[in-house]
Amino acid sequence: MQEIPGDLKFNTSHEWARVEDAGTVTVGISDHAQGALGDLVYVELPSVGDTVKAGNACAVVESVKAASDIYSPVSGEIVAVNAALADKPETINEDAYGDGWLFVVKPDNLADELDELLDPDAYAELIEGDDG
Amino acid sequence: MTRKTVLNDTHRALGARMVDFGGWDMPLNYGSQIEEHHAVRRDAGMFDVSHMTVVDLHGPRTREFLRRLLANNVDKLKKAGKALYSCMLNERGGVIDDLIVYFLADDFFRVIVNAATRDKDLAWINTHAAPFGVAVTERSDLAMIAVQGPQARDKMLGLLSPATREGVAAIGKFVAAEAEGPDAIRLFIARTGYTGEDGFEIIVAARDAVALWDRLKDAGVVPCGLGARDTLRLEAGMNLYGQDMDEEVSPWEANLGWTIALDAGRDFIGRNALEQQQAAGVGRVMIGLVMDDKGVLRHGQRVATPLGDGEILSGSFAPTLGKSIAFARVPVGAHAGLQVDIRGRLVPVRVVKYPFVRDGRSQLEA
């Protein structure tokens, strides 16, 4: 299993969030989650300009095995989506913490919401014992 | 308690993601089920199917018993080694299980049934075998490996002893033969499968299964999990028990009418019910669907038709086609204007003939 990068924060529902230098937040799913889902075949992303709320479903990833809602870790406005995933959803399987990112949020309540997320150690503990 | 096949440690050593399947701890994939799927369509893959139940039937009245037990007619089996696909029905014409039966000798037939239905199948077979004096023996001492794909036969034949190779190379589809494998391993090799590709299903003593698996792997046969097995058989248009039919569904409603032999004078279990259903008219049929939009058809989704609702049975992404396909059970006559309810969104689907894929090629016209 892939090492969890130290600059990420996690939802208990297996999304990661990375605060970028510009203050935006990039969101994806964890390597553990992609492994559990198996080969991804379809990704439904929000649109740029959409407003998302922390904890609300705003995207869907589908593997051969299952469809899974994606819950945004933070609230704000969608400022970018990873359009390349439309043709190559398997990028998420190959590089969940890098090229497999899903969307970028311009957060509007970051300080409070960040406290609610798990740091890498806490997330590693959460998935320990899970198959994967 | 979860059961393990003799290959369990082998799967884990290969890094398989394991899953519970009908009470068995089985490999779902060894990394990518899509790559495993393509390996079978393009070259050769192998599956541990030792969880399936091998049942040997012995006794002079075994054929007579099977005429009663099965909806298909074992009298189609005239030469030793020949196999037949059949349903085993209850009195209401519902499907208890689907199976393959091999004719091996006048007093010896072998039946292979599903893993998840083992207990009820054995109980049913035992109950009905007793009046015929047929001995029913579950062969848990055996393991089974399916080797499938355009190169599967050649790769397997290469492992056989020269003395038995020619004989196995000559067997036709749905025929089995005894053979000798590497290290003088004794094999029962059938030219059957569940992928739509040519290949073999090989029964071997459990103690020899790991050696055979390793030799196949050395020969370039790719280990494949149940995930790929499911997408391969769906593309090939093959039913899955429990998803496409069960005890509340008759073969008429599961597109298995071709397996029912209503030959004169044969009183098989479920026949009366089947004939009544046929006379009254069957209200539901199983059809093939393809979705051109993005998304994945899945078991249990509602299918809206102009004649009323139906439902998705087996549904998945089809790696060979790059889109989603499914079986659905719908009201008779519903063939246009179908939509599937995917999380509240109605998505149009096309009714297509299946198999969806044959000999590695899409059967869908664009």
Side-chain angles (χ1 to χ4, degrees):
Chain A
M1 188 166 135
Q2 209 179 323
E3 184 99 359
I4 301 175
D7 57 344
L8 301 186
K9 297 277 196 173
F10 291 86
N11 265 349
T12 54
S13 50
H14 307 287
E15 295 84 1
W16 56 261
R18 176 190 287 124
V19 182
E20 310 291 353
D21 293 342
T24 58
V25 177
T26 306
V27 176
I29 66 169
S30 74
D31 191 55
H32 173 80
Q34 70 74 18
L37 284 165
D39 292 303
L40 290 164
V41 294
Y42 175 50
V43 179
E44 197 179 300
L45 295 173
S47 302
V48 170
D50 284 0
T51 302
V52 295
K53 248 183 86 81
N56 282 10
C58 64
V60 178
V61 295
E62 290 210 42
S63 68
V64 184
K65 201 165 85 180
S68 184
D69 283 322
I70 302 300
Y71 301 92
S72 181
V74 294
S75 304
E77 183 191 336
I78 301 287
V79 293
V81 298
N82 189 354
L85 296 176
D87 290 329
K88 289 188 73 66
E90 65 270 24
T91 307
I92 298 171
N93 294 114
E94 292 157 3
D95 190 9
Y97 296 131
D99 291 346
W101 65 277
L102 297 175
F103 52 84
V104 178
V105 183
K106 186 179 158 204
D108 50 34
N109 189 19
L110 185 59
D112 290 344
E113 289 174 354
L114 220 47
D115 285 344
E116 300 293 314
L117 301 176
L118 304 174
D119 64 27
D121 287 346
Y123 181 68
E125 201 170 309
L126 175 79
I127 61 179
E128 200 181 34
D130 268 24
D131 215 8
Chain B
M1 206 186 94
T2 309
R3 301 182 68 185
K4 293 177 177 176
T5 76
V6 70
L7 287 158
N8 192 274
D9 288 345
T10 307
H11 301 317
R12 289 177 177 276
L14 289 167
R17 176 170 290 271
M18 304 298 286
V19 67
D20 179 89
F21 182 82
W24 291 79
D25 184 49
M26 297 300 289
L28 180 64
N29 63 63
Y30 302 82
S32 164
Q33 77 170 80
I34 290 181
E35 282 170 28
E36 292 162 21
H37 179 109
H38 291 318
V40 172
R41 285 276 178 261
R42 295 166 186 169
D43 186 15
M46 62 178 163
F47 306 83
D48 176 15
V49 286
S50 307
H51 58 306
M52 297 191 75
T53 308
V54 180
V55 183
D56 283 353
L57 306 172
H58 286 278
R61 297 179 67 196
T62 302
R63 186 182 284 271
E64 193 185 340
F65 160 58
L66 290 170
R67 282 189 196 117
R68 167 87 183 135
L69 184 76
L70 302 180
N72 209 337
N73 190 353
V74 285
D75 288 333
K76 291 174 182 171
L77 304 177
K78 299 189 193 317
K79 277 184 70 177
K82 190 87 180 87
L84 182 73
Y85 174 78
S86 181
C87 289
M88 179 165 77
L89 305 177
N90 59 29
E91 295 287 1
R92 293 174 288 118
V95 183
I96 294 174
D97 202 5
D98 63 337
L99 54 81
I100 289 183
V101 56
Y102 294 91
F103 166 44
L104 300 178
D106 285 335
D107 58 352
F108 177 21
F109 287 71
R110 171 170 284 175
V111 172
I112 299 178
V113 301
N114 283 304
T117 50
R118 172 192 172 272
D119 294 352
K120 68 166 187 173
D121 288 357
L122 284 172
W124 183 262
I125 291 170
N126 272 301
T127 299
H128 293 280
F132 294 90
V134 170
V136 179
T137 312
E138 183 187 6
R139 297 295 306 273
S140 38
D141 57 317
L142 299 176
M144 183 151 48
I145 298 171
V147 186
Q148 304 274 295
Q151 301 303 318
R153 288 175 68 236
D154 280 351
K155 287 185 170 165
M156 184 62 215
L157 290 170
L159 297 181
L160 299 182
S161 72
T164 59
R165 186 179 300 150
E166 211 173 306
V168 174
I171 61 173
K173 293 202 173 172
F174 257 70
V175 176
E178 304 261 354
E180 188 184 274
D183 314 316
I185 297 173
R186 287 191 54 199
L187 306 171
F188 176 93
I189 299 187
R191 196 167 164 196
T192 51
Y194 195 48
T195 63
E197 299 297 325
D198 206 346
F200 295 125
E201 290 177 304
I202 301 153
I203 295 176
V204 58
R207 64 176 178 278
D208 293 328
V210 172
L212 176 62
W213 179 276
D214 288 344
R215 294 295 292 268
L216 284 162
K217 191 161 178 299
D218 290 344
V221 181
V222 176
C224 300
L226 293 180
R229 189 168 158 81
D230 191 52
T231 51
L232 287 158
R233 68 90 196 165
L234 177 59
E235 285 185 348
M238 294 168 160
N239 290 28
L240 173 63
Y241 189 82
Q243 212 157 69
D244 302 315
M245 72 286 199
D246 56 34
E247 295 196 27
E248 307 309 316
V249 171
S250 86
W252 304 129
E253 300 167 315
N255 212 18
L256 291 172
W258 62 277
T259 71
I260 301 170
L262 294 173
D263 37 303
R266 188 170 66 94
D267 179 25
F268 65 84
I269 301 165
R271 176 166 185 155
N272 289 344
L274 289 188
E275 289 182 332
Q276 281 169 19
Q277 291 162 11
Q278 198 178 32
V282 178
R284 305 181 297 170
V285 290
M286 188 168 117
I287 58 170
L289 298 178
V290 61
M291 182 165 71
D292 295 311
D293 286 22
K294 290 200 166 187
V296 183
L297 300 169
R298 298 190 192 277
H299 182 68
Q301 288 168 343
R302 182 174 67 92
V303 182
T305 90
L307 302 176
D309 282 354
E311 64 168 340
I312 298 290
L313 306 169
S314 291
S316 186
F317 177 77
T320 308
L321 307 172
K323 51 178 76 170
S324 185
I325 56 172
F327 297 142
R329 190 163 291 118
V330 298
V332 170
H335 54 77
L338 275 61
Q339 294 175 301
V340 176
D341 184 341
I342 299 181
R343 294 188 301 276
R345 192 165 54 102
L346 283 175
V347 182
V349 288
R350 285 189 289 140
V351 178
V352 295
K353 286 190 177 149
Y354 58 84
F356 303 96
V357 176
R358 180 177 279 158
D359 294 327
R361 291 216 179 80
S362 170
Q363 301 297 299
L364 307 176
E365 54 280 72

